[in-house]
Amino acid sequence: MGEIWREHKGFGRQIRMLAKLELKTMFKGSVLGSAWAVVKPVITLLMFWFTFVVGIRASGMVAGFPRFDFMLVGFVPWFFMSDSIRDGAKCIRSNAQYVTKVSFPVSTVMTFTGLSRFYIHIGLMALMYGYLLCMGYGVDVYQLQVLFYAPLMLLFFLALSWTTASWSVFSKDFLNLLRSLLTGLFWMSGIVWNSYEVENPWLRKAMLLNPVNFFANGYRKAFLYREWFWEDPLELGIFLAELAFLLVFGAWQYRRLRKDMADVL
């Protein structure tokens, strides 16, 4: 982790510039440009709204809130998490020039990739917040918790990319496997349903091991439930233990594989 910190030292400005460039490159050649980063998730949300509310008419309440409002607050962090998992894993392969052609701190590739997706997340979160205000949820102090959950989410999936991006350099099969698992992860996580209402007590506790649940429920605590993040010490403790492990394991994997990346690419 000290090596990664030294690679980042003095590169703050370059990382921010590369994050913005990453956004422009993603939608280069399109009329709307970077606006597609927000338009695409909005279209997805409208499709889910039509499916659940208009189509199958599952427009009842979930955890005491309208189904679409409940889903919306879970979807906003999910868009960031899914992009971070998928794009974080392939970021070194997508930016091989920084590894093979120039002297560049490779760990910053994961950072500016994650930061570019975080910019999109901020825009989506602003739209979500505006919708909730229009629906009468109001402003309260619990919403300040987003200043805890959002940076923590960025850190967690950045640490995850230290492992997944390093492994993906050496195995395209791992990258394909990760993409295949994303759909399953979505439906097995509490994005469209309430993980706190699982009837089996053992399975309900097992759901606490899923970090996607932690952030989806965390955003709902901030914007819907009006609960503090420390009110469930077991859920918080499990997540912090996972984060500590991921930071150490990810840094170790990156250091172990870094010297061979250029040769493989």
Side-chain angles (χ1 to χ4, degrees), residues 40-98:
K40 287 175 64 178
V42 169
I43 293 175
T44 302
L45 286 171
L46 290 175
M47 292 171 61
F48 271 90
W49 170 82
F50 185 85
T51 300
F52 283 94
V53 179
V54 179
I56 62 177
R57 298 183 181 179
S59 56
M61 307 293 282
V62 181
F65 300 93
R67 179 175 295 275
F68 181 73
D69 298 356
F70 178 87
M71 289 171 50
L72 173 66
V73 180
F75 259 109
V76 168
W78 167 253
F79 286 130
F80 172 79
M81 290 186 281
S82 60
D83 285 348
S84 295
I85 294 172
R86 181 184 60 251
D87 298 336
K90 68 178 183 180
C91 65
I92 293 182
R93 281 191 169 273
S94 300
N95 296 278
Q97 68 274 15
Y98 295 124

Side-chain angles (χ1 to χ4, degrees), residues 5-23:
W5 170 256
R6 287 191 296 272
E7 287 186 349
H8 281 68
K9 190 176 181 181
F11 275 83
R13 181 172 175 270
Q14 291 91 329
I15 289 172
R16 291 191 297 272
M17 290 177 59
L18 287 169
K20 295 176 182 177
L21 180 62
E22 179 87 355
L23 280 177

Side-chain angles (χ1 to χ4, degrees), residues 4 43 49 88 99 122 139 176 225 247:
I4 292 175
I43 293 175
W49 170 82
V99 183
I122 293 174
V139 179
N176 292 329
Y225 298 161
L247 286 168

Side-chain angles (χ1 to χ4, degrees), residues 9 12 14 18 29 34 43 47 60 68 77 81 97 104-105 115 131 140 170 177 194 203 220 260 262 264:
K9 190 176 181 181
Q14 291 91 329
L18 287 169
S34 299
I43 293 175
M47 292 171 61
F68 181 73
M81 290 186 281
Q97 68 274 15
F104 192 84
L115 189 60
Y131 169 83
D140 59 58
F170 294 86
L177 173 64
N194 188 6
L203 183 58
R220 290 179 181 130
D260 296 322
V264 174

Side-chain angles (χ1 to χ4, degrees), residues 4 46 118 124 140 163 192 200 209 226:
I4 292 175
L46 290 175
F118 193 67
L124 286 175
D140 59 58
T163 297
V192 298
N200 187 302
L209 299 172
R226 290 181 168 85

